[in-house]
Amino acid sequence: MADEAAVRQQAEVVRRLKQDKAEPDEIAKEVAKLLEMKAHLGGDEGKHKFVLKTPKGTRDYGPKQMAIRERVFSAIIACFKRHGAEVIDTPVFELKETLTGKYGEDSKLIYDLKDQGGELLSLRYDLTVPFARYLAMNKITNIKRYHIAKVYRRDNPAMTRGRYREFYQCDFDIAGQFDPMIPDAECLKIVQEILSDLQLGDFLIKVNDRRILDGMFAVCGVPDSKFRTICSSVDKLDKMPWEEVRNEMVGEKGLSPEAADRIGEYVQLHGGMDLIEQLLQDPKLSQNKLAKEGLGDMKLLFEYLTLFGITGKISFDLSLARGLDYYTGVIYEAVLLQQENDHGEESVSVGSVAGGGRYDGLVGMFDPKGRKVPCVGISIGIERIFSILEQRVEASEEKIRTTETQVLVASAQKKLLEERLKLISELWDAGIKAEVLYKKNPKLLNQLQYCEDTGIPLVAIVGEQELKDGVVKLRVVATREEVNIRRESLVEEIRRRTNQL
């Protein structure tokens, strides 16, 4: 039997291996040994103490959090449906090769499942690559779909800011060959509608184009082979000052200081239609075919956004890069703008709350004949939005209802359980959300208190006199008003009163 000293010794072996970045297989073997020793510790008396915690980067959601979450989901789904989207679902794990090579430097964050002698699998990292695989596999060339599901990333979690290792994504994508920028403009309109609807405060949607970025890198003297890696450095500009990003480009990625300085002149520019016109006249950029195409489309996009009346929320920002490798055209990201809250505390800093862009080549990567299906889409950062709303509810001490019960069926006297059960069955069959306390003879005060605690607005009270008269006493919890309602009219009365609330 393992003793505690041996377990501590084994734990130290595991710690050293991790510190020395040993082979994953070697670490896994020693971890398995440690777990086995821990399981045997304390003999057969079942004294083994379990650590009751959720894994790093994950959390449970209690009824109150789920009530807030469902409210957010229904607002988002309503918007997706308003724009004519269908819904799909895909497996939570994919073949490892499906995900490999699609995420650039972020590929190291993919969770690989243990090889069990069958297929090599990984947990999905986002919903976009599975969507592209789904289109190629089913030979679909035209769909407008949304997909809300959990994804997994071996990231360093910052849970207060809504960064987790397991989290939901809410995606909306339009696949198909259409005239330029019309679907792209609709995606931006959807982001604007959702963020306005959720009342998260002031926000800005930054827009750029991969072709403008690539054209800019070319005219600044970045070698082709370094485009993607320099792109992921530029993507850090919202988190790091230009000086640090420049040092990374030059020091770590081997870019010439001159090229880095030329990039610096461009990436600090942001504006609207005026900036697009200015860059179309730029002596260097206007000579680059890719950049010129991107700027032409950006101009068209802004014309459509003007028709939608949302240009006040949009900024053409040359520092926006979005590190994912699969983007080919327009890219965008919505950020919440810092605001002081009423209590003078620092406001919740959550950064990006939505992002997306055009990825015309991704489906072709999966198609045996390389057939391309142009796609554009958005992903709503539900976890970050949720963390803001949750903190807001806590600060305001707003009471959140965690059930939708319309009425509690109660009795004022003893020996009326049968009558309560008969009545509640009638209500359930009529589609009324109703509860009853699981006691034969509950005190009326306890039944009323239950309604106060859970926010149930109405109580249907059955008593001997009421049964004789063929009525039910309906009590409004908030005002304590009581009225006798004919039994056959009760369903209609409950509906009428709860619709007004």
Side-chain angles (χ1 to χ4, degrees):
M1 194 179 81
D3 63 8
E4 288 190 16
V7 169
R8 279 201 297 274
Q9 213 171 342
Q10 183 62 17
E12 184 57 27
V13 169
V14 170
R15 193 186 66 78
R16 286 222 180 99
L17 286 172
K18 286 180 176 174
Q19 202 174 347
D20 299 342
K21 295 191 169 60
E23 287 297 313
D25 290 352
E26 194 184 344
I27 296 174
K29 198 169 89 183
E30 296 300 334
V31 167
K33 203 161 145 189
L34 174 63
L35 291 173
E36 199 177 334
M37 288 168 79
K38 279 185 174 177
H40 288 120
L41 190 63
D44 304 324
E45 296 93 355
K47 284 183 191 164
H48 174 53
K49 287 195 183 92
F50 284 103
V51 179
L52 288 173
K53 66 186 277 296
T54 60
K56 185 178 176 185
T58 65
R59 62 172 285 191
D60 292 322
Y61 294 90
K64 194 186 272 189
Q65 286 117 3
M66 284 307 293
I68 301 169
R69 177 165 283 243
E70 284 184 340
R71 204 193 285 173
V72 174
F73 277 146
S74 61
I76 291 171
I77 291 169
C79 179
F80 290 163
K81 287 184 171 177
R82 192 160 60 237
H83 287 263
E86 301 173 287
V87 62
I88 69 160
D89 196 13
T90 64
V92 75
F93 43 80
E94 293 274 350
L95 295 180
K96 184 176 172 160
E97 64 194 75
T98 301
L99 306 185
T100 306
K102 312 297 186 305
Y103 300 109
E105 292 186 2
D106 285 347
S107 287
K108 59 183 182 290
L109 303 180
I110 293 172
Y111 270 108
D112 293 330
L113 298 181
K114 189 177 176 185
D115 178 7
Q116 305 199 354
E119 298 169 320
L120 288 179
L121 306 170
S122 299
L123 293 179
R124 62 183 170 210
Y125 177 88
D126 68 3
L127 300 178
T128 310
V129 170
F131 174 54
R133 189 263 312 144
Y134 169 82
L135 294 181
M137 195 172 111
N138 294 291
K139 299 185 173 50
I140 295 168
T141 55
N142 204 315
I143 189 174
K144 187 194 294 190
R145 81 88 178 84
Y146 75 89
H147 187 185
I148 295 179
K150 284 182 171 179
V151 298
Y152 299 84
R153 298 186 182 182
R154 262 177 28 196
D155 212 343
N156 277 329
M159 289 166 68
T160 49
R161 294 183 59 226
R163 274 180 84 103
Y164 299 91
R165 289 181 163 186
E166 175 195 61
F167 56 96
Y168 271 101
Q169 278 194 338
C170 302
D171 282 20
F172 172 100
D173 294 81
I174 301 170
Q177 193 73 54
F178 303 107
D179 288 340
M181 295 298 118
I182 305 173
D184 310 59
E186 183 170 4
C187 285
L188 290 166
K189 177 79 174 95
I190 288 170
V191 174
Q192 179 268 332
E193 283 178 25
I194 288 171
L195 296 182
S196 301
D197 193 17
L198 293 173
Q199 299 176 342
L200 297 167
D202 208 7
F203 62 88
L204 186 67
I205 306 170
K206 299 177 182 180
V207 188
N208 198 1
D209 193 299
R210 261 291 161 80
R211 292 164 299 175
I212 299 173
L213 271 172
D214 286 353
M216 174 183 81
F217 292 150
V219 303
C220 291
V222 179
D224 283 9
S225 60
K226 288 196 194 298
F227 274 20
R228 290 289 80 102
T229 182
I230 294 301
C231 195
S232 73
S233 293
V234 170
D235 194 39
K236 295 174 185 167
L237 273 169
D238 58 338
K239 299 177 196 77
M240 287 158 56
W242 164 247
E243 272 314 306
E244 283 179 41
V245 172
R246 184 187 182 279
N247 291 344
E248 183 184 291
M249 287 177 178
V250 176
E252 290 173 37
K253 299 189 172 174
L255 187 66
S256 72
E258 299 76 37
D261 290 337
R262 284 197 284 270
I263 290 171
E265 289 170 25
Y266 283 114
V267 293
Q268 298 183 52
L269 298 172
H270 51 85
M273 193 63 109
D274 50 349
L275 178 59
I276 299 168
E277 297 289 5
Q278 180 192 323
L279 292 174
L280 279 166
Q281 304 304 316
D282 184 277
K284 284 189 283 208
L285 268 187
S286 57
Q287 297 311 302
N288 180 282
K289 184 175 170 288
L290 267 181
K292 202 170 176 186
E293 263 177 38
L295 285 164
D297 276 353
M298 188 62 71
K299 186 176 176 182
L300 192 55
L301 178 68
F302 265 78
E303 284 168 14
Y304 296 148
L305 297 175
T306 306
L307 296 172
F308 285 155
I310 60 169
T311 43
K313 292 286 182 197
I314 313 276
S315 166
F316 171 36
D317 189 323
L318 282 169
S319 72
L320 179 67
R322 291 194 66 75
L324 298 176
D325 275 9
Y326 51 63
Y327 289 122
T328 54
V330 169
I331 48 178
Y332 32 80
E333 188 161 277
V335 291
L336 288 188
L337 301 175
Q338 283 288 309
Q339 68 261 351
E340 290 299 316
N341 61 21
D342 304 338
H343 310 296
E345 301 156 23
E346 256 184 65
S347 51
V348 190
S349 164
V350 291
S352 164
V353 286
R358 177 161 283 285
Y359 50 102
D360 288 349
L362 192 57
V363 180
M365 284 183 175
F366 295 115
D367 191 284
K369 293 185 178 153
R371 282 175 297 221
K372 289 191 174 182
V373 177
C375 298
V376 65
I378 51 165
S379 188
I380 305 293
I382 187 77
E383 301 296 346
R384 293 188 171 188
I385 289 172
F386 178 59
S387 75
I388 300 165
L389 293 177
E390 202 181 347
Q391 289 182 25
R392 200 176 279 178
V393 164
E394 274 173 33
S396 69
E397 293 175 9
E398 178 194 340
K399 204 165 162 44
I400 295 281
R401 274 201 74 184
T402 54
T403 68
E404 295 180 7
T405 310
Q406 294 163 282
V407 64
L408 179 80
V409 174
S411 57
Q413 295 119 343
K414 292 185 175 179
K415 298 195 176 143
L416 286 169
L417 176 62
E418 285 181 16
E419 293 302 333
R420 278 158 58 216
L421 295 183
K422 270 193 233 165
L423 178 57
I424 199 165
S425 186
E426 283 173 31
L427 295 177
W428 284 334
D429 291 346
I432 296 290
K433 294 165 183 159
E435 286 185 65
V436 65
L437 292 197
Y438 306 125
K439 276 178 102 73
K440 274 187 172 178
N441 299 312
K443 292 190 170 82
L444 183 60
L445 200 63
N446 292 351
Q447 295 172 92
L448 298 177
Q449 189 57 49
Y450 179 74
C451 293
E452 294 274 358
D453 294 344
T454 56
I456 298 174
L458 299 172
V459 193
I461 303 170
V462 286
E464 284 162 13
Q465 191 57 48
E466 284 85 358
L467 287 168
K468 279 189 197 129
D469 298 345
V471 296
V472 174
K473 188 176 284 177
L474 198 61
R475 178 184 171 108
V476 180
V477 176
T479 62
R480 302 186 179 179
E481 169 208 349
E482 292 184 344
V483 282
N484 284 339
I485 305 291
R486 303 275 330 147
R487 185 127 173 180
E488 58 273 21
S489 312
L490 183 63
V491 167
E492 209 36 64
E493 187 64 20
I494 291 170
R495 281 199 191 121
R496 189 181 69 77
R497 285 177 179 264
T498 48
N499 283 343
Q500 287 171 358
L501 295 171

